[in-house]
Amino acid sequence: MRKRIKVGGVINRALLAAGLVATIMGLGLFAIARYSTPEDKKTIDEAFAKGQNQGLYDALSKMKSVGRIQIPGTLGYDISYVSSTTTPTGRTLRFVTNRKIAFAEAYHNTQSQAYNLTGGEINIDNQDQKKSAGVLYPAAQLVINKDGDLQIELRKNPWRLSNIIVRGKEKE
């Protein structure tokens, strides 16, 4: 089914198989068609273990879209992986996808091309929607630090997500 969602004065369309759409900061749109499967999680875990950030990027490129994200300054793009974890007050969504590299970045061969992932976390509070919040990493890469731990490196500061409005009911 298709629904029309008004976001920041612009009419957007989103495919809602899972029935979940979040409007973020009145500007962004995060729409989930379905959640990723345990097999998808295994695929990206193995890809990162073999090829680290580039392996993850390659694996995400081959995955089918599970949703769509639209952030200010972009037309939006598909989300390759999203998981949902139940919390005492609602749920936490974690997502990662390949970042679209801008023409100017590619043309000038900038260092920012190394930060080829977009990811984030959204905490949805079903009891008090005003407490729903999250973080978006618009340009990131995953690395193993000198202590052997997984670390997120960012090109710029993360974006704090607030004023999250969830539309629709989540289908289990």
Side-chain angles (χ1 to χ4, degrees):
M1 99 173 106
R2 287 201 172 281
K3 287 194 177 187
R4 294 177 74 137
I5 298 119
K6 187 170 183 175
V7 182
V10 179
I11 300 295
N12 293 291
R13 294 176 188 264
L15 180 63
L16 297 179
L20 179 66
V21 171
T23 303
I24 302 168
M25 299 183 294
L27 297 173
L29 176 72
F30 185 85
I32 300 171
R34 67 176 177 85
Y35 293 113
S36 297
T37 64
E39 292 79 23
D40 292 336
K41 170 102 170 75
K42 183 179 177 188
T43 298
I44 65 172
D45 287 347
E46 289 173 355
F48 184 79
K50 288 181 186 173
Q52 295 203 4
N53 192 76
Q54 190 59 46
L56 178 58
Y57 179 89
D58 293 342
L60 290 169
S61 297
K62 296 173 187 170
M63 297 176 89
K64 291 184 180 179
S65 173
V66 295
R68 189 137 178 96
I69 185 170
Q70 181 178 351
I71 56 177
T74 72
L75 294 174
Y77 42 93
D78 291 337
I79 298 171
S80 300
Y81 178 86
V82 65
S83 67
S84 177
T85 305
T86 303
T87 64
T89 59
R91 63 192 176 279
T92 298
L93 305 177
R94 290 188 179 97
F95 62 94
V96 65
T97 194
N98 292 339
R99 181 175 75 88
K100 300 295 181 202
I101 304 297
F103 176 77
E105 285 178 275
Y107 182 78
H108 295 292
N109 198 25
T110 64
Q111 180 185 11
S112 63
Q113 290 182 85
Y115 299 86
N116 56 3
L117 300 174
T118 294
E121 180 176 280
I122 299 174
N123 298 305
I124 299 171
D125 191 322
N126 292 331
Q127 298 170 359
D128 184 359
Q129 199 168 36
K130 292 180 182 176
K131 291 182 180 177
S132 294
V135 63
L136 176 71
Y137 307 113
Q141 65 178 340
L142 298 178
V143 297
I144 302 294
N145 67 19
K146 63 181 178 178
D147 298 327
D149 297 324
L150 183 63
Q151 179 178 316
I152 300 173
E153 287 189 355
L154 305 176
R155 172 76 178 144
K156 301 267 184 173
N157 294 331
W159 297 2
R160 185 171 45 94
L161 306 177
S162 60
N163 300 325
I164 296 173
I165 301 168
V166 177
R167 296 191 169 108
K169 299 274 185 194
E170 180 178 22
K171 294 180 183 174
E172 296 296 328

